[in-house]
């Protein structure tokens, strides 16, 4: 059984993890990644492993740790063993897979760490969601996901291509189908059906689906919620962190 969390952005061949799992004769295999210095480790499950890859210690979201090896939330376990562990946990009124199975049985079961060096990021927080979107402005990240084998395909809604009207300026940005651009967009990600009014400026921001930005609006370091209508002459800037913009104003369409 392959168990995966729904808040990771990555590309992985699970067959390779399964081969590693069988080769090590593991009870449970955890996909892991070494994080760079300065990462907030309190957001992740943190592991330590020996030279053979066997997990020797595991802690969920520690306040302090000297390890930078995190769990990616991807696990392989035999179906029969998973059922047995779940049934045992249910009898003891335990319901957390990580704390009640992985951490609790770390010294009982043979748990191994499969280390990946490929791109992986969590979108479990506002900051990480924003950073992951910004990562896709890097050519090497787009190439890895969209061009390198195996490619990732998504369902395309039948929308007209993005329209860039006279006077618009776009630099280092991703602009989806159905968008209409009249202003300036820099280092930003625009989801489907975003309307950018005259003299608008968008910098370092993520604009979600079906957002209307009135004329002379300034957006910087923000995430604008889906289906928002931003009135003309508005200004939103994330000063110390990413700002969430939610403006449900009336929208008039002629």
């Amino acid at each position: 059984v392959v168990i995966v969390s729904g808040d990771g952005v990555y590309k992985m061949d699970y067959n390779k993890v399964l081969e590693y799992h069988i080769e090590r004769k593991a009870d449970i295999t955890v996909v892991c990644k070494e994080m760079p210095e300065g990462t907030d480790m309190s957001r992740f499950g943190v592991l330590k492993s020996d030279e053979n890859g066997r997990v020797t210690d595991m802690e969920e979201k520690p306040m302090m740790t000297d390890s930078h090896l995190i769990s990616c939330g991807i696990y392989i376990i035999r179906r029969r063993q998973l059922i047995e562990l779940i049934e045992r946990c249910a009898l003891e009124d335990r319901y957390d897979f990580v704390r009640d199975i992985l951490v609790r049985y770390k010294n009982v079961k043979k748990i191994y760490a499969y280390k990946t060096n490929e791109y992986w990021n969590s979108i479990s927080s506002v900051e990480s969601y924003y950073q992951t979107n910004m990562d896709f402005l890097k050519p090497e990240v787009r190439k890895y996901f969209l061009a390198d084998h195996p490619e990732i395909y998504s369902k395309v809604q039948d929308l007209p291509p993005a329209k860039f009207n006279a006077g618009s300026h776009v630099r280092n940005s991703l602009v989806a189908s159905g968008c209409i651009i009249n202003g300036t967009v820099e280092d930003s990600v625009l989801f489907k059906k975003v309307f950018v009014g005259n003299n608008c400026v968008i910098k370092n921001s993520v604009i979600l689906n079906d957002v209307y930005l009135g004329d002379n609006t300034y957006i910087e370091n923000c995430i604008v919620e889906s289906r928002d209508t931003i009135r003309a002459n508005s200004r939103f800037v994330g000063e110390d962190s990413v700002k969430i913009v939610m403006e449900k104003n009336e929208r008039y369409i002629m």
Side-chain angles (χ1 to χ4, degrees), residues 203-218:
K203 293 183 178 181
N204 307 314
S205 294
V206 179
I207 314 297
L208 300 181
N209 294 309
D210 192 21
V211 169
Y212 181 95
L213 300 174
D215 295 347
N216 307 307
T217 294
Y218 186 90

Side-chain angles (χ1 to χ4, degrees), residues 102-152:
L102 295 181
V103 175
R104 191 170 181 229
Y105 288 91
K106 64 187 177 186
N107 297 321
V108 178
K109 299 295 184 180
K110 292 187 292 184
I111 303 178
Y112 278 82
Y114 176 92
K115 296 181 181 179
T116 178
N117 296 317
E118 303 294 345
Y119 183 95
W120 178 92
N121 210 348
S122 167
I123 54 172
S124 59
S125 68
V126 171
E127 289 76 15
S128 60
Y129 177 83
Y130 173 84
Q131 187 55 55
T132 301
N133 275 276
M134 293 296 104
D135 283 348
F136 273 78
L137 298 178
K138 302 173 184 176
E140 63 272 18
V141 174
R142 291 200 304 275
K143 178 178 180 296
Y144 172 69
F145 278 99
L146 306 177
D148 293 350
H149 180 79
E151 304 88 345
I152 291 181

Side-chain angles (χ1 to χ4, degrees), residues 1 3 21 27-28 75-79 81-82 85 97:
V1 175
I3 302 173
H21 178 81
D27 293 317
I28 304 172
Y75 316 100
I76 288 187
I77 181 172
R78 284 189 298 108
R79 183 179 65 89
Q81 181 158 242
L82 176 62
L85 289 170
F97 180 80

Side-chain angles (χ1 to χ4, degrees), residues 159-170 174-185 189-202 207-215 217 251 253-254:
L159 291 170
K163 182 181 181 183
F164 303 91
N165 288 327
S168 63
H169 301 279
V170 178
L174 294 177
V175 180
S177 300
C179 290
I180 299 176
I181 311 298
N182 295 289
T184 298
V185 180
V189 178
L190 274 60
F191 284 49
K192 295 190 292 285
K193 297 194 292 185
V194 173
F195 179 88
V196 178
N198 295 312
N199 302 315
C200 286
V201 176
I202 302 172
I207 314 297
L208 300 181
N209 294 309
D210 192 21
V211 169
Y212 181 95
L213 300 174
D215 295 347
T217 294
R251 185 183 305 185
I253 301 175
M254 299 298 291

